[in-house]
Every structure is written in structure tokens, then in C-alpha cells.
Amino acid sequence: MAITRNVKCPNCGVFNKNRDYCKNCNTLISFEKKQEQKVTAYKEEEFKKAKHEIENPNLAERLKKHPLWLYRVVGWVLYSAYLLVSAIGALIAWFIAMVAAG
Ligand SMILES: [Zn+2]
């Protein structure tokens, strides 16, 4: 059983009966739909953030720009460690390639 709802459009003031969108200006007026969209937007935002974290795992880069010098020092230490690990990784990869090539 559907409940009749008379919702006033916040955009143009027209009353809409049982509509998700305003019949006059097409503004979304359904509370449930709005909540739904909010949740979807939130999820997308979280997903984007997670994706960003995966694509940019370099915390050091962010720390290096931190206003507190202590954080910047930590950032540079992390950055150095990251470079070192990358260099060692590249070296190992190169070594394996050389060995494999005979
Ligand atoms: Zn409207």
C-alpha cells in the first residue's frame, strides 16, 4: 500500500503527489531517493579514496609537504627507504634478467 505524499519542491515550490522528481522542474524531491543517492555518492567517494590510496601508496610524498617539520623528516626518511627498496628491487630484477639471459 502506497502512502500518498504531497511533497513541496524545494526548488520551485510546486506540490508533487507521489513523485520522485518534481513535475515542474525535475528536481529530485523524494527523500528516500535522496538518501539513496547520498549513500551511492558516499560509496563512490570511499571507492575513489581507496583507489587513490592503491595508486598512490606513497605516504612519504604527502608527509614531505606536511607543515610540521617533524612529519617532513619522517616523510624524507620514508622516501629514502622507498627509493632504496626500489633501487634494490630494480637491481635484483636486473640481476635476474642477466642471469636468465645467461
Ligand atoms: Zn520543482
Side-chain angles (χ1 to χ4, degrees):
M1 192 186 96
I3 304 155
T4 308
R5 288 173 311 165
N6 226 347
V7 182
K8 191 183 175 188
C9 172
N11 189 43
C12 66
V14 164
F15 279 92
N16 295 273
K17 253 183 205 168
N18 293 329
R19 292 174 75 103
D20 289 333
Y21 295 88
C22 175
K23 63 186 172 191
N24 187 44
C25 66
N26 227 25
T27 298
L28 182 63
I29 50 174
S30 160
F31 179 73
E32 287 86 1
K33 274 266 165 64
K34 265 186 190 165
Q35 288 297 104
E36 233 171 71
Q37 283 193 348
K38 249 188 217 168
V39 169
T40 309
Y42 176 76
K43 272 184 194 160
E44 266 171 25
E45 195 57 41
E46 286 300 301
F47 177 74
K48 263 188 216 157
K49 262 191 223 162
K51 200 163 171 261
H52 183 82
E53 290 291 320
I54 293 162
E55 281 170 358
N56 304 281
N58 212 343
L59 175 74
E61 286 298 327
R62 268 177 285 153
L63 281 175
K64 270 157 67 186
K65 288 168 194 142
H66 202 279
L68 275 175
W69 68 268
L70 191 69
Y71 281 86
R72 286 203 297 274
V73 168
V74 172
W76 281 106
V77 169
L78 276 175
Y79 181 66
S80 307
Y82 171 75
L83 278 186
L84 197 70
V85 168
S86 303
I88 292 168
L91 204 69
I92 290 168
W94 174 79
F95 185 73
I96 288 167
M98 290 307 278
V99 168

